[in-house]
Amino acid sequence: MGVIQRVVKPTTHRTKRILKNKQPKIIENTKKTIFLRGWKTHETVSNFCTDICNLKKPHSISLSKKHEILPFEDLGPIEKLCNKYDVSMFVFSSHNKKRPDNLVIGRLFDHHVLDAFEFGVESFKSMLEFKSWTPSVGIKPALVFMGEDFDTVHSLNRMKSLFIDLFHQNETELVHLNNVEYVVTFAVVENKVLIRTYRIVMKNVGEKSPRVELESIGPCADLTIRRQILASDDLFKKACSKPKIKGKKIKNVRRDAFGSKLGRVHMTPQDVNKLQTRKMKGLKKPKKDAKKKKNPE
């Protein structure tokens, strides 16, 4: 006989609110990222994670505690930590003789790891090595993926989707030009992903549109692709699917091809002759007609 698991119901309003927030939603929350450290780390990969964590704020959680985790051998500890802190992405840094300056970036679906990529960090330049400038908290960067490989190669296309989720912030319909402060570029050259970050500077040149210039800032790094975990096509399609939101149908209301809202109103039959119109001399009835109505023959 199988063991029946006992379901513990929440007893306080706080636990009810936490469990309700963890339930699946039609419109998901902004994806949070947890930054984990291995049993041994190096300064290069630690500083790279610190810069990414600062760019990701306020949707990032950094743990200073060291964990003895091997992501590509056992995903259980990472999934447990992600479920504990209610995050959907993770960045794990480690260092050893076989894989120096090791970096693992992954994401979860349905509380399990969907896909993950392992990189080696090389030629790293931190934000502290450039001019003292830090982007505003919560500002979305502009992402540029250079090269056709990101669209034609299956694994690189998944990697592109992973980086978009990593730098994703709150959903916005309109973006002000002044709020685009920096841009992150990605390029693939000989099994390496070259990441460069530039600050967007708009200078007034006496015209209607300003002149845009780019200033190199950190973080900048060359990531060597090592190992990867890719979900099946069916599972990835299920993770990307969006449920159709069916609202309450309103009677006699529809929308045309242009999105305009049209409605039909039903009214009782009306006698046009009895309608109250504006009192003008030209609209007054003659006295003869009025007398005929009073004294019909």
Side-chain angles (χ1 to χ4, degrees):
M1 292 180 65
V3 179
I4 300 175
Q5 295 183 353
R6 187 170 61 92
V7 179
V8 180
K9 294 183 179 180
T11 56
T12 61
H13 290 287
R14 182 172 177 270
T15 53
K16 288 180 182 178
R17 186 169 62 252
I18 292 173
L19 292 177
K20 186 178 180 181
N21 192 35
K22 288 185 177 182
Q23 290 178 354
K25 301 179 181 64
I26 296 178
I27 301 176
E28 296 181 349
N29 301 331
T30 304
K31 293 184 178 180
K32 294 183 180 181
T33 306
I34 188 171
F35 290 80
L36 305 171
R37 295 184 180 183
W39 188 252
K40 184 179 180 181
T41 56
H42 194 258
E43 183 180 3
T44 301
V45 67
S46 297
N47 292 339
F48 180 77
C49 291
T50 301
D51 288 352
I52 299 298
C53 182
N54 292 333
L55 295 177
K56 184 69 178 176
K57 285 182 179 179
H59 306 293
S60 60
I61 301 173
S62 180
L63 300 182
S64 58
K65 182 182 177 181
K66 296 181 179 181
H67 301 82
E68 195 170 358
I69 299 175
L70 299 174
F72 280 80
E73 295 182 9
D74 186 11
L75 296 171
I78 286 185
E79 293 176 351
K80 187 177 180 181
L81 286 170
C82 291
N83 294 333
K84 178 182 177 181
Y85 291 94
D86 191 21
V87 297
S88 56
M89 297 196 69
F90 66 90
V91 177
F92 178 78
S93 58
S94 61
H95 178 80
N96 53 48
K97 186 177 180 180
K98 187 178 181 179
R99 293 183 177 87
D101 297 326
N102 200 48
L103 182 73
V104 180
I105 304 175
R107 55 186 170 180
L108 284 78
F109 171 69
D110 196 17
H111 305 294
H112 297 286
V113 173
L114 179 69
D115 47 21
F117 287 86
E118 185 181 57
F119 304 98
V121 182
E122 300 176 359
S123 304
F124 170 67
K125 291 185 179 180
S126 176
M127 298 175 64
L128 302 176
E129 299 182 22
F130 296 88
K131 295 182 179 180
S132 57
W133 176 85
T134 54
S136 304
V137 177
I139 292 297
K140 301 176 66 173
L143 304 180
V144 179
F145 293 88
M146 296 181 290
E148 297 180 354
D149 293 341
F150 283 111
D151 298 324
T152 56
V153 182
H154 179 66
S155 59
L156 294 179
N157 185 262
R158 292 284 184 89
M159 187 188 299
K160 175 183 176 180
S161 176
L162 181 69
F163 282 126
I164 291 175
D165 283 346
L166 180 63
F167 289 94
H168 183 70
Q169 296 284 357
N170 296 324
E171 291 284 349
T172 54
E173 296 181 359
L174 299 175
V175 179
H176 197 275
L177 188 62
N178 294 330
N179 289 339
V180 184
E181 296 184 358
Y182 65 103
V183 57
V184 184
T185 62
F186 303 87
V188 178
V189 179
E190 297 179 356
N191 201 40
K192 288 185 179 181
V193 181
L194 311 183
I195 300 178
R196 301 292 183 266
T197 310
Y198 300 95
R199 178 189 176 191
I200 300 175
V201 181
M202 299 182 185
K203 295 186 177 181
N204 189 4
V205 292
E207 298 180 359
K208 187 176 180 180
S209 57
R211 185 178 67 187
V212 180
E213 294 184 358
L214 299 178
E215 292 182 359
S216 182
I217 59 173
C220 298
D222 297 346
L223 304 183
T224 303
I225 304 174
R226 290 176 176 170
R227 292 183 292 178
Q228 58 191 16
I229 298 175
L230 297 179
S232 61
D233 293 338
D234 295 337
L235 182 60
F236 188 78
K237 185 178 180 180
K238 183 180 178 181
C240 295
S241 63
K242 295 182 180 180
K244 295 182 180 180
I245 304 175
K246 295 182 179 180
K248 186 177 180 181
K249 188 176 180 180
I250 304 175
K251 192 176 180 180
N252 298 326
V253 175
R254 63 181 181 86
R255 291 186 179 273
D256 59 5
F258 302 98
S260 302
K261 191 175 182 180
L262 305 177
R264 181 182 295 175
V265 181
H266 296 275
M267 299 178 63
T268 57
Q270 294 183 350
D271 189 358
V272 182
N273 297 323
K274 294 182 180 180
L275 288 176
Q276 178 63 42
T277 57
R278 188 176 178 184
K279 295 182 179 180
M280 297 174 59
K281 289 185 178 180
L283 298 176
K284 285 185 178 180
K285 295 180 180 180
K287 293 183 179 180
K288 294 180 180 180
D289 297 341
K291 288 181 180 180
K292 286 182 181 180
K293 287 183 178 181
K294 290 181 179 180
N295 301 319
E297 294 180 356

